[in-house]
Amino acid sequence: MPTRNDIRNVAIVAHVDHGKTTLVDAMLKQAGAFAAHQQLDDRMMDSNDLEREKGITILAKNTAVKYHPKDGGAPITINIIDTPGHADFGGEVERGLSMVDAVVLLVDASEGPLPQTRFVLRKALTARLPVILCINKTDRPDARIDEVINETYDLFLDLDADEDQIEFPIVYACARDGVASLTKPENGTVPADSDSLEPFFSTILEHVPAPTFDEDAPLQAHVTNLDADNFLGRIALLRVEQGELRKGQTVAWIKRDGTISNVRISELLMTEALTRKPAEVAGPGDICAVAGIPEIMIGETLADTENPIALPLITVDEPAISMTIGTNTSPLVGRGGSGKGADAKAAVKDRKVTARQVKDRLDRELIGNVSLRVLDTERPDAWEVQGRGELALAILIETMRREGFELTVGKPQVVTKEVNGKTHEPVERLTVDVPEEHMGAVTQLMGVRKGRMDNMSNHGSGWVRMEFVVPSRGLIGFRTEFLTNTRGTGIAHSIHEGHEPWFGNLTTRNNGSLVADRAGVVTAFAMTNLQERGVLFCDPGTEVYEGMIVGENSRADDMDVNITKEKKLTNMRSSNADVAESIVPPRKLSLEQSLEFCREDECIEVTPETVRIRKVVLDQKDRGRTASRAKKA
């Protein structure tokens, strides 16, 4: 079959923070994508604010570099897909892999293959894609290159890779310095026989297959991603599998339900570095963007009008975690951060608080996020949102709050399924790296959460790596406790491992909550009296309402407290009147920490300014009646 030797399509896959985006930065700079005078940011591909703040890739993005071979041949376009390393964004990974002909597997020279490495590699091997192994961060002082290569071979064998896939080329790199080599450097050093990524580029040209096509085949192009433009409207990112796509051409649009309609391509764009530029034609193997089809969805096909043939739909893993997301039902709804003053009123003008606005936003999210599901609940103002993991759903909620939405979010739950009449729940494979002295604390922590140890290895450096199989609900609220028990030194990563029979009841939070028993403003006097009862979450001057959780109790049960109590003023000087009271600084919980802290009878109020934890039932008497009924039952 004819091939297009002027194109290579490759995805870079790796575990979180192993250097994918940094490597793409170096490739763009060395391929001459930018002028010498341009000011460039680090991690250019992480364009989303949340990606920059969290230091992870959330959305799969594509770029293209023009590589000029050293032998003076014609320039070759290398299309690069930068995929997320976190399993929660599995839908993004699967879409990225559907666009390419090979993958570069990036592995940290010290950490070696981790759970997300297994996840992304499994996807690549299932898609029958050839692999190039890149050992990154060879300059780390604790680098152990030989052991990491052996661990990677073991991982390939564990995932049942065939002989062709195991015979992969190996490149050694320090992406931060923009250096790669085919010769193994000493541990802890930058490759010395190279000063650029030239060996890496040449390995891609040699081992990534050029796209093949059939000259007589009709047009077939697969929609793999969606974007939006203020002038062009919805933009569909697609890969042309067969035939040619031209600007102004009329094509057959094959929808997900099998129906076909003719549409016109109003604009055709090709990616060059970080920008899209107008083009006239895209051929087999090209990754391009088209405008003019406002309702197009991911997984659909653009085909020849005379002979429309659909390509297979993109399939993703089943959701494992669900949350109930609804409108804000607290007494402070629509009142800004403090709920007082002209500034607060001005800030809440564009507040989105209605059920229709929340539902429309969730429906819009479904368009570009194939791994998400939205289900109706018994209430008209709340919906069950299912996703791959807790982080993916937390990112959605954080994005919505930044857009001005006010929400009530329930405690994360697992999505169960029936197998042979028995309830099965999702389980995770958890890999933990901890110093040896904290090994007992971690084992005890996992025992409470029904974790089963599968493997344990000691690299001889004072650190132990343990692998557990643990129910997904056992990991809700795990991270904060884990970091506390390991004094902040532990590293934990997990990946979905399938479903197993229900593990039974789990008790993951031992302490109760301190609940405000009335509305008002937090006073320093009340905080001073309450801080010996537990850890407080509020500053003095914060507005609270009945049923709002203001702290964590030191005991197992909940306690209703008056955190708005004021010091009584008298005309008699008291003996201790001038004694200075010191307030312990309150613990500020982020959105993710609030989700971890939440119990079944609690939920989270999310607004653009603040995150509050509250009881589902705000009235103290109603909660008391419910509790007494539960004891009698």
Side-chain angles (χ1 to χ4, degrees):
M1 291 178 74
T3 58
R4 287 195 61 185
N5 290 314
D6 61 331
I7 294 180
R8 297 291 188 277
N9 296 324
V10 64
I12 299 185
V13 300
H15 183 83
V16 177
D17 201 33
H18 277 197
K20 295 183 302 299
T21 308
T22 307
L23 180 63
V24 175
D25 281 3
M27 292 175 74
L28 286 166
K29 290 172 185 172
Q30 294 191 21
F34 305 104
H37 64 273
Q38 277 183 270
Q39 289 291 321
L40 303 175
D41 296 326
D42 289 338
R43 304 201 328 272
M44 289 174 283
M45 295 290 283
D46 284 350
S47 52
N48 185 319
D49 287 345
L50 274 173
E51 291 179 317
R52 288 196 165 277
E53 287 171 27
K54 294 182 178 295
I56 60 173
T57 301
I58 295 170
L59 303 171
K61 294 178 250 352
N62 73 303
T63 185
V65 299
K66 290 273 188 195
Y67 173 69
H68 297 268
K70 295 301 178 189
D71 58 10
I76 295 171
T77 300
I78 302 176
N79 288 311
I80 307 163
I81 310 294
D82 182 17
T83 62
H86 205 289
D88 281 14
F89 310 109
E92 298 288 326
V93 175
E94 308 205 355
R95 287 183 352 214
L97 295 183
S98 69
M99 301 164 70
V100 299
D101 302 305
V103 297
V104 173
L105 177 67
L106 210 66
V107 179
D108 187 296
S110 167
E111 295 180 3
L114 285 169
Q116 321 295 349
T117 315
R118 171 185 287 269
F119 166 75
V120 290
L121 180 60
R122 183 193 293 151
K123 298 293 181 192
L125 295 178
T126 304
R128 312 292 303 159
L129 295 173
V131 178
I132 297 170
L133 175 63
C134 179
I135 304 295
N136 191 27
K137 304 187 184 181
T138 59
D139 59 328
R140 280 186 61 158
D142 54 351
R144 45 187 193 93
I145 297 172
D146 286 331
E147 292 96 319
V148 166
I149 291 173
N150 289 332
E151 287 173 14
T152 308
Y153 275 115
D154 291 342
L155 179 59
F156 271 77
L157 293 170
D158 197 24
L159 294 175
D160 296 328
D162 58 35
E163 287 185 22
D164 293 338
Q165 291 171 318
I166 289 180
E167 307 237 334
F168 48 77
I170 303 176
V171 181
Y172 307 91
C174 176
R176 188 189 59 198
D177 294 352
V179 176
S181 171
L182 300 178
T183 307
K184 182 169 74 71
E186 292 294 320
N187 287 333
T189 63
V190 177
D193 61 341
S194 172
D195 58 0
S196 70
L197 292 177
E198 178 62 33
F200 182 56
F201 280 119
S202 59
T203 305
I204 287 178
L205 297 190
E206 186 180 344
H207 292 279
V208 176
T212 60
F213 62 97
D214 184 348
E215 289 178 333
D216 302 321
L219 169 68
Q220 279 185 308
H222 209 192
V223 180
T224 56
N225 211 342
L226 297 175
D227 202 350
D229 185 274
N230 291 336
F231 301 102
L232 300 174
R234 185 179 296 186
I235 292 175
L237 187 72
L238 41 83
R239 170 172 169 155
V240 181
E241 300 289 347
Q242 302 288 352
E244 287 188 341
L245 199 59
R246 295 180 179 277
K247 181 181 176 180
Q249 179 182 357
T250 300
V251 297
W253 168 27
I254 307 175
K255 303 175 188 175
R256 295 183 77 91
D257 59 5
T259 57
I260 301 173
S261 57
N262 289 351
V263 290
R264 183 175 173 274
I265 304 298
S266 63
E267 193 66 63
L268 179 65
L269 306 164
M270 300 282 276
T271 304
E272 202 170 298
L274 299 181
T275 59
R276 294 196 184 108
K277 298 191 175 175
E280 292 299 319
V281 62
D286 276 328
I287 294 173
C288 61
V290 299
I293 314 171
E295 301 297 323
I296 196 163
M297 297 285 282
I298 289 169
E300 296 178 341
T301 305
L302 297 184
D304 185 65
T305 51
E306 303 293 325
N307 184 14
I309 303 171
L311 290 162
L313 294 172
I314 298 171
T315 58
V316 297
D317 289 339
E318 292 287 308
I321 299 288
S322 74
M323 287 182 196
T324 301
I325 297 179
T327 55
N328 187 3
T329 55
S330 92
L332 299 182
V333 58
R335 288 174 58 185
S338 65
K340 297 178 180 178
D343 290 342
K345 288 187 175 66
V348 300
K349 271 186 183 176
D350 300 324
R351 199 59 51 104
K352 301 178 179 74
V353 296
T354 66
R356 180 184 59 79
Q357 289 172 318
V358 175
K359 182 67 166 73
D360 288 349
R361 178 62 181 82
L362 291 175
D363 288 341
R364 280 206 313 279
E365 186 68 22
L366 287 175
I367 293 170
N369 193 338
V370 293
S371 57
L372 208 67
R373 291 181 188 167
V374 177
L375 308 175
D376 290 329
T377 63
E378 296 170 355
R379 290 174 46 198
D381 61 346
W383 297 269
E384 183 185 344
V385 181
Q386 297 181 348
R388 284 291 309 117
E390 199 177 346
L391 178 62
L393 295 176
I395 292 288
L396 168 63
I397 296 163
E398 181 65 35
T399 306
M400 289 178 70
R401 75 178 279 210
R402 292 184 183 203
E403 293 171 2
F405 285 89
E406 291 201 10
L407 307 167
T408 300
V409 181
K411 176 182 169 62
Q413 307 285 345
V414 293
V415 179
T416 59
K417 63 180 185 181
E418 292 287 321
V419 180
N420 297 327
K422 293 184 178 178
T423 302
H424 281 55
E425 64 175 317
V427 295
E428 308 269 327
R429 178 169 292 276
L430 177 75
T431 300
V432 175
D433 286 307
V434 289
E436 287 174 347
E437 64 264 27
H438 299 308
M439 201 174 92
V442 173
T443 309
Q444 193 173 355
L445 191 61
M446 293 312 302
V448 173
R449 294 164 184 268
K450 304 281 177 83
R452 182 177 73 237
M453 188 185 287
D454 249 18
N455 192 15
M456 184 173 75
S457 56
N458 191 329
H459 299 313
S461 57
W463 283 67
V464 179
R465 174 169 293 181
M466 296 179 281
E467 281 192 18
F468 296 90
V469 174
V470 58
S472 296
R473 61 197 166 101
L475 292 183
I476 297 171
F478 163 76
R479 193 165 297 278
T480 305
E481 209 173 334
F482 169 73
L483 289 173
T484 303
N485 287 5
T486 61
R487 306 290 188 271
T489 58
I491 302 168
H493 296 287
S494 64
I495 180 170
H496 183 61
E497 187 78 356
H499 287 72
E500 288 190 16
W502 187 260
F503 280 69
N505 290 330
L506 287 181
T507 306
T508 54
R509 189 179 123 200
N510 297 321
N511 293 15
S513 304
L514 298 176
V515 188
D517 65 356
R518 68 198 70 193
V521 176
V522 175
T523 64
F525 175 69
M527 287 183 68
T528 307
N529 293 330
L530 287 175
Q531 60 193 14
E532 62 190 30
R533 300 283 188 182
V535 180
L536 297 176
F537 299 157
C538 302
D539 287 312
T542 304
E543 190 171 2
V544 298
Y545 51 84
E546 183 181 0
M548 179 173 156
I549 292 167
V550 294
E552 182 179 14
N553 194 3
S554 56
R555 298 185 179 181
D557 53 346
D558 293 340
M559 182 187 294
D560 291 293
V561 298
N562 179 7
I563 199 167
T564 64
K565 187 177 181 182
E566 295 182 353
K567 188 173 184 178
K568 294 290 180 281
L569 301 176
T570 68
N571 59 359
M572 299 289 290
R573 175 169 293 194
S574 123
S575 59
N576 61 350
D578 297 321
V579 177
E581 297 284 6
S582 61
I583 298 174
V584 178
R587 192 164 110 211
K588 296 292 186 182
L589 297 181
S590 66
L591 176 59
E592 284 92 343
Q593 289 170 327
S594 300
L595 289 170
E596 289 180 359
F597 182 83
C598 222
R599 272 183 171 170
E600 276 75 8
D601 63 338
E602 298 167 356
C603 58
I604 300 158
E605 177 192 353
V606 180
T607 73
E609 296 84 9
T610 186
V611 175
R612 305 182 184 100
I613 308 174
R614 47 162 280 197
K615 290 291 183 182
V616 174
V617 179
L618 295 178
D619 189 88
Q620 181 182 345
K621 292 175 183 172
D622 289 347
R623 286 201 310 274
R625 288 191 204 103
T626 307
S628 62
R629 278 195 218 108
K631 284 179 183 174
K632 287 175 185 174

